Amino acid sequence: GENVEQHPSTLSVQEGDSAVIKCTYSDSASNYFPWYKQELGKGPQLIIDIRSNVGEKKDQRIAVTLNKTAKHFSLHITETQPEDSAVYFCAASTDSWGKLQFGAGTQVVVTP
Amino acid sequence: DAGVIQSPRHEVTEMGQEVTLRCKPISGHDYLFWYRQTMMRGLELLIYFNNNVPIDDSGMPEDRFSAKMPNASFSTLKIQPSEPRDSAVYFCASSFGRNNQPQHFGDGTRLSIL
């Protein structure tokens, strides 16, 4: 089955700097790659997603890139703010039913 | 609009007791997912439904776990008998349509088995 690895496990950045989280996947049939943000005591919330027919997608300060050849995708957060502090999860799906395999998560801390 | 609603938010019970977790998906969504989150194993998909029918229950850890979806607006996840290793946060999520549509998560049930 699909295996998703996520790095780093923790990331500390100064407010205003950029943060980058990287994920690799094992199954070349994966075609959908969402990113979720989870705040303490809450459920994961989708922040951006990308499909295999697109190489890059951007939404304000957040962008995701996908390299199908290398089987990796990354989340980029620019101009980080304290409210960006949370745990971020990447995921991959090989089918259209929505069955997601999640990475282990990255704890992001933005310090003022 | 109301999101996915889970109850209870917290549950503490003794080993051997039956535990029932409840989920109300977003109205109109036709997919429902149950996940378990632990420090050791991360987020794991347990089972998911399409139009109230279980599609894939390969993530259900043991026969002690069962899930039902009697109608489009309600699902339960039951553990009987419960064990301390079942302690985790259980999430329900729902989505609409095929082709990997966004999954919307509830805020989870934190389950502690003593």
Side-chain angles (χ1 to χ4, degrees), chain A residues 61-110:
Chain A
R61 297 186 296 110
I62 295 173
V64 57
T65 58
L66 171 64
N67 184 327
K68 287 189 293 183
T69 303
K71 291 190 284 189
H72 67 69
F73 56 113
S74 300
L75 177 72
H76 305 254
I77 307 174
T78 59
E79 301 174 21
T80 54
Q81 301 168 4
E83 52 265 38
D84 294 328
S85 297
V87 179
Y88 291 80
F89 293 94
C90 63
S93 175
T94 58
D95 63 48
S96 62
W97 297 98
K99 185 174 182 179
L100 297 175
Q101 181 67 43
F102 282 86
T106 297
Q107 174 77 61
V108 173
V109 177
V110 180

Side-chain angles (χ1 to χ4, degrees), chain B residues 29-32 49-55 69 72:
Chain B
H29 282 192
D30 55 351
Y31 284 83
L32 184 138
F49 296 81
N50 175 225
N51 291 325
N52 313 337
V53 176
I55 301 300
M69 192 164 186

